[in-house]
Amino acid sequence: MSKKNDDAKRSARERMQVERERQRAADKRKRALIVGGSVVAVLAVAATIGVIVGTNKSNSSNTSWSSVSDKPLKLPTGMTSTVVPYGSNPNAPVLTVYEDFRCPICDQVEGKLGATMQQMADAGQIRIDYHIASFLDKNLGGNGSKYAANAAACAQDAGKFKAFHDVLYANQPDETNDKFGKNSYLLELAGKVDGLRSPTFDACVNDLTYAPWVKASQEDFNNAKVAGQKVTGTPTIALNDQKVQYVANNQVMSPDAFKAQLEGIIAQTPKS
Amino acid sequence: MNAAIAARPAGGSTVRRALPWIGLVVRLGLAAVWTFAGWEKATNPAQAAQAVRAFDVLPESLVEPVGYALPYLELGLAALLIIGLGTRIVAGISALLLLVFIAGISQAWARGLAIDCGCFGGGGPIAPDQTKYLQEILRDIGFLAMAGWLLFFPRTRFSADAWLAIEDDDTH
């Protein structure tokens, strides 16, 4: 009798235990669900805030630019596409130079190899097509790449793109400094090129007349390919659609080596 | 003989007692990583977007949303790690995100793209001799190890998880 009673008590206790165990498991599941749900909710809210803030920020910093850059495309004088040609012989092998005016490596390349390229173009050995990109504004914040590109296009109208291009690189500010984003500074630099400043030029710079070209040129850059490979950065140099090296031993190569390379490629390509 | 047997559980419980403290350090360390990474990118969303674009994986329509959302997602993960809520889930998401980053850097490396990973702000195309793929990957693997630790030992000191589970711990 007493043993039976004990058994009943024990089984009741066990049942209670099982019940409590189940309760606890259910609680735990519920808690895990609440915690998991809050985690996902917090992250979703954070991501949404990010998209909203990011979209607002990038729109507001570009209002004045986007209002002019969506006007119909007009090419600067002497251009048949978005690239700016330079050289004495329009039928010479084409050296395409992809550059951004704020790109520090472009500055290094221009500083060391610019003169060589210019000599070859002046001598009619090559024609340089400057493909001006302006994506660094997005990378670094600011407007310097775009405004400098616009001013350079204005200089093309005056027939002085190349000279102004060289002045811009010679006075390139630190990568994170948006000095080129001020038209007053660009006009000051334009003063260093003889005969460039004129009321027409100044108005062209201040009105961002070639903003649609700057935008189109960047879009072309986004889709640009050399030998079937996407161009992923500036500077990129190609001769007759063949990629040209400008780095040797972790620095910009010597002008002689660079010139020899270009002449090698020209010698390979059949005359047309 | 007896002493040896007695010593073992004592040693084991020392380790067990130390685990949540190690967990706390790892948790706050990973929180610091996400805070720094998120903050650098959140202050310049356009650059973050360009960094995403440079990996050349996502279609253009997804580049900006992802670039904008990513820093805040990282800050969200940091906040959750600091308060210690859902540590295991957060560690899992962190690990997943780090794996995606490592995969992104590796594919850029393998394809010969010259980019800066933009892991802590920055990013975009750079000169070919300035890429640091190996360092970037090794660093991410270090962070991945932290996330992995929390995935296996999610119980940490001073966490919302511990606070929420207080009754649970009492009965054990």
Side-chain angles (χ1 to χ4, degrees):
Chain A
M1 178 70 187
S2 108
K3 189 173 185 317
K4 207 175 175 188
N5 213 346
D6 272 359
D7 279 353
K9 249 192 229 158
R10 193 176 310 139
S11 74
R13 212 181 306 137
E14 273 166 10
R15 248 179 291 138
M16 255 166 67
Q17 188 104 29
V18 168
E19 180 54 33
R20 220 181 306 146
E21 215 41 71
R22 203 177 30 219
Q23 190 66 41
R24 201 178 298 145
D27 275 358
K28 208 170 170 183
R29 240 190 337 256
K30 200 157 103 191
R31 214 160 28 225
L33 217 63
I34 292 172
V35 169
S38 343
V39 166
V40 171
V42 166
L43 294 180
V45 168
T48 313
I49 291 174
V51 172
I52 294 167
V53 169
T55 313
N56 282 345
K57 215 168 171 176
S58 64
N59 284 348
S60 64
S61 73
N62 287 323
T63 3
S64 65
W65 178 264
S66 60
S67 64
V68 283
S69 67
D70 286 333
K71 287 181 182 170
L73 173 64
K74 187 186 140 221
L75 292 174
T77 310
M79 285 165 52
T80 52
S81 71
T82 52
V83 296
V84 188
Y86 176 81
S88 61
N89 176 7
N91 300 317
V94 179
L95 183 79
T96 310
V97 181
Y98 298 88
E99 286 181 333
D100 185 309
F101 282 116
R102 284 177 82 185
C103 144
I105 318 285
C106 302
D107 182 35
Q108 286 178 29
V109 168
E110 281 295 337
K112 202 161 173 188
L113 306 175
T116 309
M117 291 190 260
Q118 175 166 2
Q119 280 159 16
M120 291 179 76
D122 286 345
Q125 276 180 286
I126 54 169
R127 182 185 95 204
I128 307 176
D129 274 2
Y130 288 101
H131 193 137
I132 304 300
S134 47
F135 63 89
L136 283 179
D137 285 347
K138 272 201 164 186
N139 279 17
L140 307 166
N143 292 307
S145 292
K146 294 191 290 281
Y147 281 36
N150 172 69
C154 299
Q156 169 68 13
D157 271 354
K160 296 183 186 298
F161 169 86
K162 171 66 173 150
F164 185 56
H165 160 276
D166 292 351
V167 166
L168 284 175
Y169 275 114
N171 293 278
Q172 190 189 56
D174 189 64
E175 194 178 8
T176 49
N177 182 336
D178 194 30
K179 241 174 154 181
F180 282 172
K182 286 199 179 67
N183 280 330
S184 54
Y185 183 62
L186 294 170
L187 288 172
E188 187 191 317
L189 291 180
K192 296 181 188 229
V193 178
D194 277 345
L196 177 55
R197 289 289 294 272
S198 72
T200 326
F201 175 79
D202 290 10
C204 174
V205 171
N206 284 324
D207 297 346
L208 300 174
T209 302
Y210 286 115
W213 166 76
V214 174
K215 192 181 173 194
S217 187
Q218 174 58 37
E219 277 162 8
D220 283 354
F221 175 79
N222 288 339
N223 300 316
K225 282 184 177 162
V226 170
Q229 287 250 307
K230 228 176 150 187
V231 175
T232 54
T234 55
T236 294
I237 307 179
L239 179 55
N240 278 349
D241 199 34
Q242 198 171 327
K243 199 158 181 175
V244 173
Q245 300 303 318
Y246 53 80
V247 173
N249 301 320
N250 277 348
Q251 52 179 345
V252 177
M253 67 172 61
S254 73
D256 287 343
F258 184 74
K259 191 175 181 187
Q261 184 192 188
L262 295 190
E263 285 171 342
I265 295 174
I266 295 169
Q268 277 170 27
T269 39
K271 292 252 184 302
S272 56
Chain B
M1 178 84 180
N2 266 348
I5 290 171
R8 210 172 336 161
S13 79
T14 308
V15 170
R16 205 173 314 144
R17 236 176 302 145
L19 278 182
W21 288 103
I22 301 172
L24 173 67
V25 172
V26 174
R27 201 184 83 211
L28 293 180
L30 196 59
V33 169
W34 283 138
T35 306
F36 188 55
W39 183 257
E40 283 293 300
K41 279 180 270 201
T43 49
N44 195 341
Q47 183 169 359
Q50 180 59 32
V52 173
R53 180 176 293 114
F55 279 105
D56 197 20
V57 175
L58 291 174
E60 185 59 34
S61 58
L62 284 180
V63 161
E64 293 202 341
V66 169
Y68 295 154
L70 200 56
Y72 285 80
L73 187 70
E74 292 174 356
L75 289 175
L77 289 171
L80 289 169
L81 282 167
I82 289 169
I83 62 170
L85 184 68
T87 305
R88 179 168 265 171
I89 307 169
V90 173
I93 298 171
S94 298
L96 207 68
L97 208 53
L98 285 164
L99 282 174
V100 169
F101 292 164
I102 293 172
I105 300 168
S106 307
Q107 67 87 25
W109 195 3
R111 288 164 61 198
L113 301 183
I115 59 174
D116 169 356
C117 76
C119 304
F120 292 94
I126 56 167
D129 56 332
Q130 287 183 347
T131 55
K132 302 187 193 83
Y133 296 120
L134 189 62
Q135 294 99 302
E136 283 165 357
I137 289 175
L138 288 177
R139 192 193 51 209
D140 280 1
I141 287 175
F143 299 156
L144 189 62
M146 294 167 85
W149 175 277
L150 289 174
L151 206 53
F152 288 106
F153 306 106
R155 277 181 188 215
T156 60
R157 282 279 151 200
F158 306 122
S159 64
D161 287 340
W163 183 73
L164 284 168
I166 261 171
E167 311 155 76
D168 211 18
D169 277 353
D170 275 350
T171 51
H172 271 282

